[in-house]
Amino acid sequence: MIATAIPDGISANNIVPVTIRNLQPLDHAGMDVALHLGHLATDTANAQKHVPVIHARITGYSASRLDLQPGQQVYAVIKSVTVDGKLRDTDA
């Protein structure tokens, strides 16, 4: 998930400041958003080459609704779940 402001009142604990590197359309109305870790100044393009990148996949509609642009400082909201394959004792 991508947020344009720090989210409040959500269960996700991993909220990371990031800077949009680029947006790439995918099949089926999806969008791949490359994100540099950290809020980077727009005049540090050369330094950005050495900053780690993570990717978010969102819908094109969300990218348009949020007016996402390269260089924009946003927040990556990372929600994860551990799956161990074990059923609960209460599951049939």
Coordinates of all heavy atoms in Angstrom, one line a residue:
M1 N 0.8 -1.2 0.0 CA 0.0 0.0 0.0 C 0.9 1.2 0.0 O 2.0 1.2 0.5 CB -0.9 0.0 1.2 CG -2.1 -0.9 1.2 SD -3.2 -0.6 2.5 CE -2.4 -1.5 3.8
I2 N 0.4 2.3 -0.6 CA 1.0 3.6 -0.6 C 0.1 4.6 0.0 O -1.1 4.7 -0.4 CB 1.5 4.0 -2.0 CG1 2.5 3.0 -2.5 CG2 2.0 5.4 -2.0 CD1 2.9 3.2 -4.0
A3 N 0.6 5.4 0.9 CA -0.1 6.5 1.5 C 0.6 7.9 1.2 O 1.8 7.9 1.3 CB -0.3 6.3 3.0
T4 N -0.2 8.9 0.9 CA 0.4 10.2 0.7 C 0.7 11.0 2.0 O 1.3 12.0 2.0 CB -0.4 11.1 -0.2 OG1 -1.7 11.2 0.3 CG2 -0.5 10.4 -1.6
A5 N 0.1 10.5 3.1 CA 0.4 11.0 4.4 C 0.6 9.9 5.4 O 0.1 8.8 5.1 CB -0.8 11.9 4.9
I6 N 1.2 10.1 6.5 CA 1.4 9.1 7.5 C 0.0 8.6 8.0 O -0.8 9.3 8.5 CB 2.2 9.6 8.7 CG1 3.6 10.0 8.3 CG2 2.2 8.5 9.8 CD1 4.4 10.6 9.4
P7 N -0.3 7.3 7.8 CA -1.6 6.7 8.2 C -1.7 6.7 9.7 O -0.7 6.5 10.4 CB -1.6 5.3 7.6 CG -0.4 5.2 6.7 CD 0.5 6.3 7.1
D8 N -2.9 6.8 10.2 CA -3.2 6.8 11.6 C -4.4 5.9 11.8 O -5.3 5.8 11.0 CB -3.5 8.2 12.1 CG -3.6 8.3 13.6 OD1 -3.0 7.5 14.3 OD2 -4.3 9.2 14.1
G9 N -4.3 5.1 12.9 CA -5.5 4.3 13.3 C -5.6 3.1 12.4 O -6.7 2.7 12.0
I10 N -4.5 2.5 12.0 CA -4.5 1.2 11.2 C -3.7 0.1 11.9 O -2.9 0.4 12.8 CB -4.0 1.4 9.8 CG1 -2.5 1.9 9.8 CG2 -4.8 2.5 9.0 CD1 -1.8 1.9 8.4
S11 N -4.0 -1.1 11.6 CA -3.3 -2.2 12.2 C -1.9 -2.5 11.7 O -1.1 -3.1 12.4 CB -4.1 -3.5 12.1 OG -4.2 -3.9 10.7
A12 N -1.6 -2.0 10.5 CA -0.2 -2.2 10.0 C 0.8 -1.4 10.8 O 0.6 -0.3 11.1 CB -0.2 -1.7 8.5
N13 N 1.9 -2.1 11.2 CA 2.9 -1.5 12.0 C 4.1 -1.0 11.2 O 4.9 -0.3 11.8 CB 3.4 -2.5 13.1 CG 2.3 -2.8 14.1 OD1 1.6 -2.0 14.6 ND2 2.1 -4.1 14.3
N14 N 4.2 -1.4 10.0 CA 5.4 -1.1 9.2 C 5.0 0.0 8.2 O 4.5 -0.2 7.1 CB 5.9 -2.3 8.4 CG 6.2 -3.5 9.4 OD1 7.0 -3.3 10.3 ND2 5.6 -4.6 9.2
I15 N 5.4 1.2 8.6 CA 5.1 2.4 7.8 C 6.5 3.0 7.5 O 7.2 3.5 8.4 CB 4.2 3.4 8.5 CG1 2.8 2.7 8.8 CG2 4.0 4.6 7.6 CD1 1.9 3.5 9.7
V16 N 6.9 3.0 6.2 CA 8.2 3.4 5.8 C 8.2 4.6 4.9 O 7.5 4.6 3.9 CB 8.9 2.2 5.1 CG1 10.3 2.6 4.7 CG2 8.8 1.0 5.9
P17 N 8.9 5.7 5.2 CA 9.0 6.8 4.3 C 9.8 6.4 3.1 O 10.8 5.8 3.2 CB 9.7 7.9 5.1 CG 10.4 7.2 6.2 CD 9.7 5.9 6.5
V18 N 9.2 6.7 1.9 CA 9.8 6.4 0.6 C 9.6 7.5 -0.4 O 8.8 8.4 -0.2 CB 9.2 5.1 0.0 CG1 9.5 3.9 0.9 CG2 7.7 5.2 -0.1
T19 N 10.4 7.5 -1.4 CA 10.3 8.4 -2.5 C 10.1 7.6 -3.8 O 10.8 6.7 -4.1 CB 11.6 9.3 -2.7 OG1 11.9 9.9 -1.4 CG2 11.5 10.3 -3.7
I20 N 9.1 8.1 -4.6 CA 8.7 7.4 -5.8 C 9.8 7.5 -6.8 O 10.2 8.7 -7.2 CB 7.4 7.8 -6.4 CG1 6.3 7.5 -5.4 CG2 7.1 7.2 -7.8 CD1 4.9 8.1 -5.8
R21 N 10.4 6.4 -7.3 CA 11.4 6.4 -8.3 C 10.8 6.5 -9.7 O 11.1 7.3 -10.5 CB 12.3 5.2 -8.2 CG 13.4 5.1 -9.3 CD 14.2 3.9 -9.1 NE 15.2 3.8 -10.1 CZ 16.1 2.8 -10.2 NH1 16.1 1.9 -9.2 NH2 16.9 2.8 -11.2
N22 N 9.8 5.6 -10.0 CA 9.1 5.6 -11.2 C 7.9 4.7 -11.1 O 7.7 4.0 -10.1 CB 10.0 5.1 -12.4 CG 10.5 3.7 -12.3 OD1 9.8 2.8 -11.8 ND2 11.7 3.5 -12.8
L23 N 7.0 4.9 -12.1 CA 5.7 4.1 -12.1 C 5.7 3.4 -13.5 O 5.9 4.0 -14.5 CB 4.5 5.0 -12.0 CG 4.4 5.8 -10.7 CD1 4.9 7.2 -10.8 CD2 3.0 5.8 -10.2
Q24 N 5.4 2.1 -13.5 CA 5.4 1.3 -14.7 C 4.0 0.6 -14.8 O 3.7 -0.2 -13.9 CB 6.5 0.3 -14.7 CG 6.6 -0.5 -15.9 CD 7.0 0.2 -17.1 OE1 7.8 1.1 -17.0 NE2 6.4 -0.1 -18.2
P25 N 3.2 0.9 -15.9 CA 2.0 0.2 -16.0 C 2.2 -1.3 -16.2 O 3.2 -1.8 -16.8 CB 1.4 0.8 -17.3 CG 2.1 2.1 -17.5 CD 3.5 1.9 -16.9
L26 N 1.3 -2.1 -15.6 CA 1.4 -3.6 -15.8 C 0.1 -4.0 -16.5 O -0.8 -3.2 -16.7 CB 1.4 -4.3 -14.4 CG 2.6 -3.9 -13.5 CD1 2.4 -4.5 -12.1 CD2 3.9 -4.5 -14.1
D27 N 0.0 -5.3 -16.8 CA -1.2 -5.9 -17.4 C -2.4 -5.8 -16.4 O -2.1 -5.7 -15.2 CB -1.0 -7.3 -17.7 CG 0.0 -7.5 -18.9 OD1 0.2 -6.5 -19.6 OD2 0.6 -8.6 -19.0
H28 N -3.6 -5.8 -16.8 CA -4.8 -5.9 -16.0 C -5.0 -4.6 -15.1 O -5.3 -4.8 -14.0 CB -4.8 -7.1 -15.2 CG -4.7 -8.4 -16.0 ND1 -4.4 -8.4 -17.3 CD2 -4.8 -9.7 -15.6 CE1 -4.4 -9.7 -17.7 NE2 -4.6 -10.5 -16.7
A29 N -4.6 -3.5 -15.6 CA -4.9 -2.2 -14.9 C -4.0 -2.0 -13.7 O -4.3 -1.2 -12.8 CB -6.3 -2.0 -14.6
G30 N -2.9 -2.8 -13.6 CA -2.0 -2.7 -12.4 C -0.9 -1.7 -12.7 O -0.6 -1.3 -13.8
M31 N -0.2 -1.3 -11.6 CA 0.9 -0.4 -11.7 C 2.0 -0.9 -10.8 O 1.7 -1.2 -9.6 CB 0.4 1.0 -11.3 CG 1.4 2.1 -11.4 SD 1.7 2.7 -13.1 CE 0.1 3.4 -13.5
D32 N 3.2 -0.9 -11.3 CA 4.4 -1.2 -10.4 C 5.0 0.1 -10.1 O 5.3 0.9 -10.9 CB 5.4 -2.1 -11.2 CG 6.6 -2.4 -10.3 OD1 6.5 -3.2 -9.5 OD2 7.6 -1.7 -10.6
V33 N 5.1 0.3 -8.8 CA 5.7 1.6 -8.3 C 7.0 1.3 -7.6 O 7.1 0.6 -6.6 CB 4.8 2.3 -7.3 CG1 5.3 3.7 -6.9 CG2 3.4 2.4 -7.9
A34 N 8.1 1.8 -8.2 CA 9.5 1.6 -7.6 C 9.7 2.7 -6.6 O 9.4 3.9 -6.9 CB 10.5 1.6 -8.7
L35 N 10.1 2.3 -5.4 CA 10.2 3.2 -4.3 C 11.6 3.2 -3.7 O 12.1 2.2 -3.3 CB 9.2 2.9 -3.2 CG 7.7 2.8 -3.7 CD1 6.9 2.0 -2.7 CD2 7.2 4.2 -3.8
H36 N 12.2 4.4 -3.7 CA 13.5 4.5 -2.9 C 13.2 4.6 -1.4 O 12.3 5.3 -1.0 CB 14.2 5.8 -3.3 CG 14.9 5.8 -4.6 ND1 16.0 5.0 -4.9 CD2 14.7 6.5 -5.8 CE1 16.4 5.2 -6.1 NE2 15.6 6.1 -6.7
L37 N 14.0 3.9 -0.6 CA 13.8 4.0 0.8 C 14.2 5.3 1.3 O 15.3 5.8 0.9 CB 14.6 2.9 1.5 CG 14.2 1.4 1.2 CD1 15.1 0.5 2.0 CD2 12.7 1.2 1.6
G38 N 13.4 6.0 2.1 CA 13.6 7.3 2.6 C 13.0 8.4 1.8 O 12.7 8.2 0.6
H39 N 12.9 9.6 2.4 CA 12.4 10.7 1.7 C 13.6 11.5 1.2 O 14.4 12.0 2.0 CB 11.6 11.7 2.7 CG 10.2 11.2 2.9 ND1 9.4 11.7 3.9 CD2 9.5 10.3 2.2 CE1 8.2 11.1 3.8 NE2 8.2 10.2 2.8
L40 N 13.8 11.4 -0.1 CA 15.0 12.0 -0.7 C 14.7 13.3 -1.3 O 13.6 13.6 -1.8 CB 15.5 11.0 -1.8 CG 15.8 9.6 -1.4 CD1 16.2 8.8 -2.7 CD2 16.8 9.5 -0.4
A41 N 15.7 14.2 -1.3 CA 15.5 15.5 -1.9 C 15.5 15.3 -3.4 O 16.2 14.4 -3.9 CB 16.7 16.4 -1.5
T42 N 14.8 16.1 -4.2 CA 14.7 15.9 -5.6 C 16.0 16.2 -6.3 O 16.2 15.8 -7.4 CB 13.6 16.8 -6.2 OG1 13.8 18.2 -5.8 CG2 12.2 16.3 -5.7
D43 N 16.9 17.0 -5.7 CA 18.2 17.3 -6.3 C 19.3 16.3 -6.1 O 20.4 16.6 -6.4 CB 18.6 18.7 -5.9 CG 18.9 18.8 -4.4 OD1 18.5 17.8 -3.7 OD2 19.4 19.8 -3.9
T44 N 18.9 15.2 -5.5 CA 19.9 14.1 -5.3 C 19.8 13.0 -6.2 O 20.0 11.8 -5.8 CB 19.8 13.6 -3.8 OG1 18.5 13.1 -3.6 CG2 20.1 14.7 -2.8
A45 N 19.5 13.2 -7.5 CA 19.3 12.2 -8.5 C 20.5 11.2 -8.6 O 20.4 10.0 -8.7 CB 19.0 12.8 -9.8
N46 N 21.7 11.8 -8.5 CA 22.9 10.9 -8.6 C 23.0 10.0 -7.4 O 23.4 8.9 -7.5 CB 24.2 11.8 -8.8 CG 25.4 11.0 -9.2 OD1 25.2 10.0 -9.9 ND2 26.5 11.4 -8.7
A47 N 22.7 10.6 -6.2 CA 22.8 9.8 -5.0 C 21.7 8.7 -4.9 O 21.9 7.6 -4.3 CB 22.7 10.7 -3.7
Q48 N 20.6 8.9 -5.6 CA 19.5 7.9 -5.6 C 19.9 6.6 -6.2 O 19.3 5.6 -5.9 CB 18.3 8.5 -6.3 CG 17.6 9.7 -5.6 CD 16.5 10.2 -6.3 OE1 16.0 9.7 -7.4 NE2 15.9 11.3 -5.8
K49 N 20.9 6.6 -7.0 CA 21.4 5.4 -7.7 C 21.8 4.3 -6.6 O 21.8 3.1 -6.9 CB 22.5 5.6 -8.7 CG 22.1 6.5 -9.9 CD 23.2 6.8 -10.7 CE 22.8 7.7 -11.9 NZ 24.0 8.1 -12.7
H50 N 22.2 4.8 -5.5 CA 22.8 3.9 -4.4 C 21.8 3.6 -3.3 O 22.2 3.0 -2.3 CB 24.1 4.5 -3.9 CG 25.1 4.7 -5.0 ND1 25.7 3.7 -5.7 CD2 25.5 5.9 -5.6 CE1 26.5 4.3 -6.6 NE2 26.4 5.6 -6.6
V51 N 20.6 4.1 -3.4 CA 19.6 3.9 -2.4 C 18.8 2.7 -2.7 O 18.3 2.5 -3.8 CB 18.6 5.2 -2.3 CG1 17.5 4.9 -1.3 CG2 19.4 6.4 -1.9
P52 N 18.6 1.8 -1.7 CA 17.8 0.6 -2.0 C 16.4 0.9 -2.5 O 15.8 1.9 -2.1 CB 17.7 -0.1 -0.6 CG 18.9 0.4 0.2 CD 19.0 1.8 -0.3
V53 N 15.8 0.0 -3.3 CA 14.5 0.2 -3.9 C 13.6 -1.0 -3.5 O 14.1 -2.1 -3.5 CB 14.7 0.2 -5.5 CG1 13.3 0.3 -6.1 CG2 15.5 1.4 -5.9
I54 N 12.4 -0.7 -3.2 CA 11.3 -1.7 -3.0 C 10.3 -1.4 -4.0 O 10.2 -0.3 -4.6 CB 10.8 -1.8 -1.6 CG1 10.1 -0.4 -1.2 CG2 11.9 -2.1 -0.6 CD1 9.4 -0.4 0.2
H55 N 9.4 -2.4 -4.3 CA 8.3 -2.2 -5.3 C 7.0 -2.4 -4.6 O 6.8 -3.3 -3.8 CB 8.5 -3.2 -6.4 CG 9.7 -2.9 -7.3 ND1 9.6 -2.2 -8.4 CD2 11.0 -3.1 -7.1 CE1 10.8 -2.1 -9.0 NE2 11.7 -2.6 -8.1
A56 N 6.0 -1.6 -5.0 CA 4.6 -1.8 -4.6 C 3.8 -2.0 -5.9 O 4.0 -1.4 -6.9 CB 4.1 -0.6 -3.9
R57 N 2.8 -2.9 -5.8 CA 1.9 -3.1 -6.9 C 0.5 -2.6 -6.5 O 0.0 -3.1 -5.5 CB 1.8 -4.6 -7.3 CG 3.0 -5.0 -8.1 CD 2.9 -6.3 -8.8 NE 4.1 -6.6 -9.5 CZ 4.2 -7.7 -10.2 NH1 3.3 -8.6 -10.2 NH2 5.4 -7.9 -10.9
I58 N 0.0 -1.6 -7.2 CA -1.2 -1.0 -6.9 C -2.0 -0.9 -8.2 O -1.5 -1.2 -9.3 CB -1.1 0.4 -6.3 CG1 -0.4 1.4 -7.2 CG2 -0.3 0.3 -4.9 CD1 -0.3 2.8 -6.7
T59 N -3.3 -0.5 -8.1 CA -4.1 -0.4 -9.3 C -3.8 1.0 -10.0 O -3.3 1.9 -9.3 CB -5.6 -0.4 -9.0 OG1 -5.9 0.7 -8.2 CG2 -6.0 -1.7 -8.3
G60 N -3.9 1.0 -11.3 CA -3.8 2.3 -12.0 C -4.7 3.3 -11.5 O -4.4 4.5 -11.4
Y61 N -5.9 2.9 -11.1 CA -6.9 3.8 -10.5 C -6.4 4.5 -9.3 O -6.5 5.7 -9.1 CB -8.2 3.1 -10.2 CG -9.2 3.9 -9.5 CD1 -10.0 4.9 -10.2 CD2 -9.4 3.8 -8.1 CE1 -10.9 5.7 -9.5 CE2 -10.4 4.6 -7.5 CZ -11.1 5.6 -8.1 OH -11.9 6.4 -7.5
S62 N -5.8 3.7 -8.4 CA -5.2 4.3 -7.1 C -4.1 5.2 -7.5 O -4.0 6.3 -6.8 CB -4.7 3.2 -6.2 OG -5.8 2.4 -5.7
A63 N -3.2 4.9 -8.4 CA -2.1 5.8 -8.8 C -2.6 7.1 -9.3 O -2.1 8.2 -9.0 CB -1.2 5.1 -9.8
S64 N -3.7 7.0 -10.1 CA -4.3 8.2 -10.6 C -5.0 9.0 -9.5 O -4.9 10.3 -9.5 CB -5.3 7.9 -11.7 OG -6.0 9.0 -12.2
R65 N -5.8 8.3 -8.7 CA -6.5 9.0 -7.6 C -5.6 9.7 -6.7 O -5.9 10.8 -6.2 CB -7.4 8.0 -6.9 CG -8.3 8.5 -5.8 CD -9.2 7.4 -5.2 NE -8.5 6.2 -4.8 CZ -7.9 6.0 -3.6 NH1 -7.9 7.0 -2.8 NH2 -7.3 4.9 -3.4
L66 N -4.4 9.1 -6.4 CA -3.5 9.7 -5.5 C -2.5 10.7 -6.2 O -1.7 11.4 -5.6 CB -2.6 8.6 -4.8 CG -3.4 7.7 -3.8 CD1 -2.5 6.6 -3.4 CD2 -4.0 8.5 -2.7
D67 N -2.7 10.8 -7.5 CA -1.8 11.6 -8.4 C -0.3 11.4 -8.1 O 0.4 12.3 -7.9 CB -2.2 13.1 -8.2 CG -1.5 14.0 -9.2 OD1 -1.3 13.5 -10.4 OD2 -1.3 15.2 -9.0
L68 N 0.1 10.1 -8.1 CA 1.4 9.7 -7.8 C 2.4 10.1 -8.9 O 2.0 9.9 -10.1 CB 1.5 8.2 -7.5 CG 0.7 7.7 -6.4 CD1 0.9 6.2 -6.2 CD2 1.1 8.4 -5.1
Q69 N 3.5 10.7 -8.6 CA 4.5 11.2 -9.5 C 5.9 10.8 -9.1 O 6.2 10.8 -7.9 CB 4.4 12.7 -9.6 CG 3.1 13.3 -10.0 CD 2.6 12.9 -11.4 OE1 3.5 12.8 -12.3 NE2 1.3 12.7 -11.6
P70 N 6.8 10.6 -10.0 CA 8.2 10.3 -9.7 C 8.7 11.5 -8.9 O 8.4 12.7 -9.1 CB 8.9 10.2 -11.0 CG 7.9 9.8 -12.0 CD 6.6 10.4 -11.5
G71 N 9.5 11.2 -7.8 CA 10.1 12.2 -6.9 C 9.2 12.5 -5.8 O 9.7 13.2 -4.8
Q72 N 8.0 12.1 -5.8 CA 7.0 12.4 -4.7 C 7.4 11.6 -3.4 O 7.7 10.4 -3.5 CB 5.6 12.0 -5.1 CG 4.5 12.4 -4.2 CD 3.1 12.1 -4.7 OE1 3.0 11.6 -5.8 NE2 2.1 12.4 -3.9
Q73 N 7.3 12.3 -2.3 CA 7.6 11.6 -1.0 C 6.3 11.1 -0.5 O 5.3 11.8 -0.3 CB 8.2 12.6 0.0 CG 9.6 13.1 -0.5 CD 10.2 14.1 0.4 OE1 9.6 14.6 1.3 NE2 11.5 14.4 0.2
V74 N 6.2 9.8 -0.2 CA 5.0 9.1 0.2 C 5.4 8.1 1.3 O 6.6 8.1 1.8 CB 4.3 8.4 -0.9 CG1 3.8 9.4 -1.9 CG2 5.2 7.4 -1.6
Y75 N 4.5 7.2 1.7 CA 4.7 6.2 2.7 C 4.3 4.9 2.2 O 3.2 4.7 1.7 CB 4.0 6.5 4.0 CG 4.5 7.8 4.6 CD1 3.9 9.1 4.2 CD2 5.5 7.9 5.5 CE1 4.4 10.3 4.7 CE2 6.0 9.1 6.1 CZ 5.4 10.3 5.6 OH 5.9 11.4 6.1
A76 N 5.2 3.9 2.4 CA 4.9 2.5 2.0 C 4.3 1.9 3.3 O 4.9 2.0 4.4 CB 6.1 1.7 1.6
V77 N 3.1 1.3 3.2 CA 2.5 0.6 4.3 C 2.6 -0.9 4.0 O 2.0 -1.4 3.1 CB 1.0 1.0 4.5 CG1 0.4 0.3 5.7 CG2 0.9 2.6 4.6
I78 N 3.4 -1.6 4.9 CA 3.7 -3.0 4.6 C 3.0 -3.8 5.7 O 3.2 -3.7 6.9 CB 5.2 -3.2 4.7 CG1 5.9 -2.3 3.7 CG2 5.5 -4.7 4.5 CD1 7.4 -2.2 3.8
K79 N 2.1 -4.6 5.2 CA 1.3 -5.5 6.1 C 1.7 -6.9 5.7 O 1.7 -7.3 4.6 CB -0.2 -5.3 5.8 CG -1.1 -6.1 6.6 CD -1.2 -5.6 8.0 CE -2.3 -6.4 8.8 NZ -2.3 -6.0 10.2
S80 N 2.1 -7.7 6.7 CA 2.5 -9.1 6.5 C 1.8 -10.0 7.5 O 1.4 -9.6 8.5 CB 4.0 -9.2 6.5 OG 4.5 -8.9 7.9
V81 N 1.8 -11.3 7.0 CA 1.2 -12.3 7.9 C 2.1 -13.5 7.8 O 2.6 -13.8 6.7 CB -0.3 -12.7 7.4 CG1 -0.9 -13.8 8.2 CG2 -1.2 -11.4 7.4
T82 N 2.3 -14.2 8.8 CA 3.0 -15.4 8.8 C 2.0 -16.6 8.6 O 1.0 -16.7 9.3 CB 3.8 -15.6 10.1 OG1 4.7 -14.5 10.3 CG2 4.5 -16.9 10.1
V83 N 2.3 -17.5 7.7 CA 1.4 -18.6 7.4 C 2.2 -19.8 7.8 O 3.3 -20.1 7.2 CB 1.0 -18.6 6.0 CG1 0.1 -19.8 5.7 CG2 0.2 -17.3 5.6
D84 N 1.7 -20.7 8.7 CA 2.5 -21.9 9.1 C 1.8 -23.1 8.6 O 2.3 -24.2 8.8 CB 2.8 -21.9 10.6 CG 1.5 -22.0 11.4 OD1 0.4 -22.3 10.9 OD2 1.6 -21.9 12.6
G85 N 0.6 -23.0 8.1 CA -0.1 -24.2 7.5 C -0.8 -25.0 8.6 O -1.5 -26.0 8.3
K86 N -0.6 -24.7 9.9 CA -1.3 -25.4 10.9 C -2.7 -24.8 11.2 O -2.9 -23.6 11.3 CB -0.5 -25.3 12.2 CG -1.1 -26.0 13.4 CD -0.3 -25.9 14.6 CE -0.9 -26.7 15.8 NZ -0.7 -26.0 17.0
L87 N -3.7 -25.8 11.3 CA -5.0 -25.3 11.5 C -5.2 -25.1 13.0 O -4.5 -25.7 13.9 CB -6.0 -26.4 11.1 CG -6.1 -26.7 9.6 CD1 -7.0 -27.9 9.4 CD2 -6.5 -25.5 8.8
R88 N -6.1 -24.2 13.3 CA -6.4 -23.9 14.7 C -7.2 -25.1 15.3 O -7.8 -25.8 14.5 CB -7.3 -22.7 14.9 CG -6.6 -21.4 14.5 CD -7.5 -20.2 14.8 NE -6.9 -19.0 14.3 CZ -7.4 -18.3 13.3 NH1 -8.5 -18.6 12.7 NH2 -6.8 -17.2 13.0
D89 N -7.1 -25.3 16.6 CA -7.8 -26.4 17.2 C -9.3 -26.3 17.0 O -10.1 -27.3 17.0 CB -7.6 -26.4 18.7 CG -6.1 -26.8 19.0 OD1 -5.5 -27.4 18.1 OD2 -5.6 -26.5 20.1
T90 N -9.8 -25.0 16.8 CA -11.2 -24.8 16.6 C -11.7 -25.0 15.1 O -12.9 -25.0 14.8 CB -11.6 -23.4 17.0 OG1 -10.8 -22.4 16.3 CG2 -11.4 -23.2 18.5
D91 N -10.7 -25.1 14.2 CA -11.1 -25.4 12.8 C -11.5 -26.8 12.6 O -10.9 -27.7 13.1 CB -9.9 -25.0 11.9 CG -9.6 -23.5 11.8 OD1 -10.5 -22.8 12.2 OD2 -8.5 -23.2 11.4
A92 N -12.5 -27.0 11.7 CA -12.9 -28.3 11.4 C -12.1 -29.0 10.4 O -11.4 -28.4 9.7 CB -14.4 -28.3 10.9

